[in-house]
Every structure is written in structure tokens, then in C-alpha cells.
Amino acid sequence: MRNPCLRICKRVLFVPIIAAALFASLAYSLAAPPSQPVRPRLAVLVVFDQMRADYLSRWQSLFGDGGIRRLQTEGAWFQNCNYPYAYTVTAPGHASILTGCSPDRHGIIDNDWYEREAGTQVSCVASERYQRVPPAGSNATGRRSAQEGASPERLMAPTIGDVLKETTGGRARVVSLSFKDRSAVLPAGQHPDACYWFSGRGAEAITSTYCRDHVHPWVADFNQAHQADQWFRKEWTRLRPDLDYARYSGPDDVAGEGNGSGQGRVFPHPFGTADTSKPSSSYYGALYNSPFGNEVLLNLVERAIDGEHLGAQDTPDLLCVSFSSNDAIGHCYGPDSQEVLDVTLRSDLIVRDLLNYLDTKVGKGRYVLALTADHGVCPLPEVARAQGKDAGRILPSTWPKQADSFLKETFARKEDKSKWIEAFSPPWIYLNKPALRQQGLKEEEVEKALAGWLVKQPGMQSAYTRTQLQGELPKDDSVGRAVQRSFYPARSGEVAGVMKPYFFLWGTMTGTTHGSPHPYDTHVPLLVYGPGISGGARDEAVTPQAIAAIFADSLGIPKPAKAEAPLPATLQTAH
Ligand SMILES: [Zn+2]
């Protein structure tokens, strides 16, 4: 039997409770400063491999409302964000962002470098101690090291992920995903829960025994679904056939553009040769060199958010995503190409879809997201020359021999048969120190002579010696100081060169690259979106390494131990 009194009592009690709550909130809003934003439950790093800052303004009118433009207006848009070090390539970029420092501190000076003790070239994340997971199939050919794993052991600085793990007693989840191994391994740090990249052939998501012995169920499902095969026998056409691409970028067919993986210089770009019955390595090469490589990764990212329940705990999690196809396309067709315009427009859709997914799964206002790039890119020399600039590709294959002869002549040791140039891993030249000692020569003098020779080579602007880099450089030598931030004594050589703007070392007659201290390589996007961050453009000079401080501030954790980039002054959160 229902009790009428209880109903009445409820009503009677309910009214004062509402009144008290209203009064309390009114009193709070009158007396207290604006409420503190809720701490995010998830920090998301989005890297587009090779994206220049000028793309965001040049093509802003072409973006939709829900993607990059949402970050430009609702988030902080830093328009003056530059890498502070000289050699702007993928691994140093990915190592810098979440350690908050430069190669002089974290030690990742390049994608690979010469390791003096081993007497060989090493790749930044390659590790013979670990194997790839799952193992390459028995028909795996190609690299001898097809089964080799990857690890962050050469990264000499902790990341935000490492700090998060430490401060939460390991409860925070750290997930990092990319097409490239180095771009997944380096942002994550030493303790990822899930770290995946794609095998060269087959576009299968793989990890390393450094992380775990078998893939997560959501990765097994992803590989089983053959996500990467859906474009077989299709073509890459323009996203916006209604748009005059030539007006926003340049002509489609330009001298100096590459051919990709048999894709040709003009739209539409086919995927692989038509005569194969199933996707071949040529197909996967073409997929990587198209915007759809990013779509494959986005699918894996969504599975990771679900599978790892990212942003669902009380402790915050970290998700790092690096989209690699922009880099392949930019190298092949150059920054002024219709292909780069197209992949940038499609990247806008990737950002939109990722934001929508995070809104749904984690909740609006419950995540902080930073978008940046690991480097920019130089125009094709043919395009730069058409604009009246001095530009060119320089093939340095004969340099070590020439340098060796020059030094022996200079020091009157022509009869010495030993090689004085031990290795050339651009931009670094490594001297054979025992050979010089045997000749009774001072390293410093040989370095100086070598730098004098190097700076006279085609396309060179300047050269620095180890002795110079270990000392004080003039305050106004901004390039030299940038080289110092790329210099890690145990891994760098004795002399490093800097090319003139619009020149680069390159082995083929087509395509372009990055890796210089010039603005087209250092100037990258930085967009930061999350609770407590007010929207709009900023002209404050910052570096991408500021993301480490931004995430630390937002999550309420200490900055990584070697971080040096401060929290941007225009980004004061209310924690
Ligand atoms: Zn890169």
C-alpha cells in the first residue's frame, strides 16, 4: 500500500533543498572567480608528419567547421611556433615534443646516425635485443633485419608519458600509434601500454617484444579486418572536384615531382599495378604515399580508444598519434603541389572525425589536445627556381673521398693510406681519431680545416666544428646556436654543415626534403584545445616542445625532468 504521507514529505523536503542549492550556486557565482576547469582525463598529441605552419593560414578558408578550424577558433592557435634546433627531421621532432627538450638533451640527433663504438650506422629505435610482434611471415624478404624489434632505449630523456606513469603509480594508460616505428616509439617514452606502427609491407599493425609478446585483441581484430586493402584497384582522386586546386596550390604537373609508388605526377593516382590479383608491396607503397594511409591509422586509433578505455578512468591517460602519409606525399610532390593541398584538406577531415570520436567517447571538455608537426619541408628546387631563387639538390656521394684527399694534402700526409673520414652521416662528418693521433695531428686543427673545406662545397652556407659547438658561440649566430641544440657529443661527429636556403642533399633528381634550420623546415603548426584554454590566434614565439609543459600543467603533473620549454605566457590555465 502506498503511503501518501511519504509523497507529501518528499515534496516538502524537496523545495528547501532546491532553494538551498540555488542560493549556494548564486552565492558562489557572486563571490568566487570563474570556476576551475575540470582536469582532463585524456591528453591527446596529434602529429602530422611534415606539415608547415603556413598551410593552416593559406588554406584556412577551405577547412570545414569541425576540424582544424575548430581548433583554430575554440583552441589556442600559435602562429609563431618553430623548432629551436637545426636538423629538423622525423625522429628528433617526435623525441622533442613530449620530452620538452632538444636533441642536445634527449640524444635523438637524427633518424639514424653513425655509432662510433659499434663502427656502424644505427637507426634511432632499432634494437637487436627485441623482436617484432607478430613475427614477419615465413615469406618475408627484403631487410635482413625483418624480425628486428624497436625500443626507446636511445631516448635519453623522460616523456610526459613517463611522468604520468610515475605519478599515477602506473595506472595511467599510455598509447602511441603511427605508420612509422620511430614516430610511435619516441613520443610514448619508456613505459607504453600499447605502441604500434605498421610493417613495411602489408600495412599490418605491429609492435615489439620491448612492449609485449602478443598484440592486443583490438589490434588482432584490426589486422584481421585488412583495413588497409580497401583501396585496392581504386584511385586517389581530388577530395573537392569543385575546387580550383591550381588557384590554391599550383599546377598539377610540375617538373621535379616524383612518381611515388608507380602513381605518376598527376591526378588520378592509381593504387598499384592493375595486373596483380591481390595487394602487393607496390600497392602498400602507394597507399602510404596517399592520404588513405592516415585513414587506416585513424581506424586503429578509434579501436585503441575503445579497447584501452582511454579517458574512462579517474587518472588521466595519454594518446599519441602521428599521421605519416603527409610526409610521403610532401617528399614526392612538394609543398606547393595539388597533392599536398589534397592531403591537407583530407587531414582536416581526419581531425574532425577524431574530435567527434573523442567528444563521444571521452566527452567534450574532458580531454586536452595538441596538434603539431615534426618539421616542415623545402619547396621543390624547380618551383623555387621558377620564383627566382637559387636552389638545388646536391649529391654528396664523393664528398668523403674528396675531403680525405684535401686533409692529407693540407697536412702533408699524402702517403698515409688510412681513411681519415671514418663516416659521413649528413650533416655530420666523423673523423678517424686514431688515424689522426697516429699522425701526431691535433683534432681541433683537422676539424677546422675540414669545416673550411665543407663550407666551400656546392650549396653549403656554413659549417661548425665540435670544438666550436662545445664552446660559446656568438649570441647573434642563431644558426650556430640551433646546431648546438642538435649536437649530442656522444653521437655527433666532428664537423656539421648547414645548407643554404632552398638547397639540400638528395640522391635523386625528383622530390624534396627537410632537415634544415630554415623557416620552411622549422615553422610548424601548434594548436592547443582543452578545458581552461581560451580560443584564438597568438603571435607569442613558442616551440613544439612547449606541449610537454602544456600537458603537465593541464594534467597537474610535473614537467619531464629535462624539459626546458616553458608554458606559453598566453596559455594560463586556471588550475
Ligand atoms: Zn617527419
Side-chain angles (χ1 to χ4, degrees), residues 65 69-76 364 528-530 533-536:
D65 286 334
R69 190 184 294 163
R70 176 174 162 194
L71 299 178
Q72 286 172 313
T73 53
E74 294 177 35
K364 250 184 178 171
V528 186
Y529 169 85
I533 293 167
S534 58

Side-chain angles (χ1 to χ4, degrees), residues 150-468:
S151 86
E153 289 166 305
R154 291 190 182 90
L155 178 63
M156 309 311 286
T159 64
I160 277 287
D162 295 327
V163 178
L164 204 47
K165 279 282 178 192
E166 200 181 326
T167 52
T168 63
R171 289 196 308 281
R173 313 285 294 159
V174 174
V175 174
S176 192
L177 308 166
S178 178
F179 233 89
K180 297 181 181 175
D181 55 2
R182 55 187 176 270
S183 308
V185 169
L186 295 169
Q190 308 296 325
H191 310 290
D193 294 283
C195 184
Y196 289 95
W197 55 94
F198 288 95
S199 63
R201 49 186 71 218
E204 178 186 29
I206 61 172
T207 187
S208 157
T209 50
Y210 175 86
C211 302
R212 51 198 285 124
D213 294 329
H214 55 276
V215 300
H216 288 83
W218 49 270
V219 177
D221 288 348
F222 170 85
N223 286 338
Q224 199 72 38
H226 294 286
Q227 284 295 330
D229 294 355
Q230 58 186 292
W231 293 274
F232 185 54
R233 295 192 190 285
K234 293 184 182 166
E235 293 174 325
W236 169 19
T237 56
R238 292 181 185 87
L239 174 72
R240 295 266 310 267
D242 60 305
L243 193 73
D244 181 1
Y245 274 48
R247 188 181 143 211
Y248 287 96
S249 51
D252 193 12
D253 192 6
V254 171
E257 288 188 338
N259 187 40
S261 183
Q263 296 159 284
R265 292 200 325 208
V266 296
F267 282 105
H269 297 290
F271 283 108
T273 46
D275 55 347
T276 53
S277 58
K278 59 178 187 166
S280 61
S281 59
S282 153
Y283 166 79
Y284 294 116
L287 176 72
Y288 177 57
N289 195 50
S290 83
F292 308 113
N294 290 348
E295 292 192 18
V296 175
L297 184 69
L298 181 65
N299 184 281
L300 185 66
V301 169
E302 292 177 354
R303 288 169 189 261
I305 293 169
D306 293 342
E308 296 304 297
H309 309 291
L310 296 179
Q313 315 182 90
D314 292 334
T315 48
D317 300 320
L318 174 68
L319 170 64
C320 310
V321 186
S322 177
F323 294 101
S324 311
S325 285
N326 306 64
D327 187 56
I329 294 165
H331 276 293
C332 184
Y333 302 105
D336 306 290
S337 64
Q338 299 196 1
E339 286 79 2
V340 164
L341 168 59
D342 196 72
V343 72
T344 308
L345 295 179
R346 291 177 188 272
S347 299
D348 180 42
L349 302 184
I350 293 274
V351 172
R352 179 199 65 191
D353 293 349
L354 178 61
L355 291 173
N356 285 343
Y357 207 78
L358 291 166
D359 286 347
T360 307
K361 299 287 175 153
V362 182
K364 250 184 178 171
R366 302 307 301 267
Y367 61 91
V368 58
L369 181 145
L371 184 154
T372 191
D374 54 346
H375 49 75
V377 69
C378 182
L380 290 174
E382 289 78 3
V383 172
R385 279 199 292 266
Q387 295 168 350
K389 294 174 179 116
D390 196 13
R393 300 180 188 88
I394 306 293
L395 182 63
S397 56
T398 57
W399 285 12
K401 211 169 168 212
Q402 289 171 14
D404 189 86
S405 305
F406 168 82
L407 290 177
K408 283 173 182 160
E409 206 161 302
T410 303
F411 291 95
R413 301 290 205 285
K414 276 185 179 171
E415 72 289 350
D416 185 18
K417 296 286 177 242
S418 61
K419 278 186 182 173
W420 285 14
I421 306 297
E422 185 171 323
F424 179 39
S425 178
W428 297 100
I429 302 181
Y430 296 74
L431 285 169
N432 182 348
K433 295 182 179 194
L436 301 182
R437 265 198 302 276
Q438 210 159 34
Q439 294 294 326
L441 295 169
K442 278 192 179 160
E443 258 176 52
E444 190 178 338
E445 284 170 16
V446 183
E447 280 175 6
K448 205 170 163 187
L450 181 58
W453 173 86
L454 184 60
V455 82
K456 290 193 186 120
Q457 300 314 303
M460 294 304 299
Q461 172 179 291
S462 51
Y464 295 87
T465 66
R466 172 174 282 263
T467 307
Q468 278 179 303

Side-chain angles (χ1 to χ4, degrees), residues 50-71:
Q50 192 188 121
M51 184 180 274
R52 286 196 336 203
D54 58 297
Y55 299 174
L56 295 200
S57 36
R58 186 179 180 187
W59 296 321
Q60 188 185 12
S61 67
L62 305 179
F63 299 142
D65 286 334
I68 291 173
R69 190 184 294 163
R70 176 174 162 194
L71 299 178

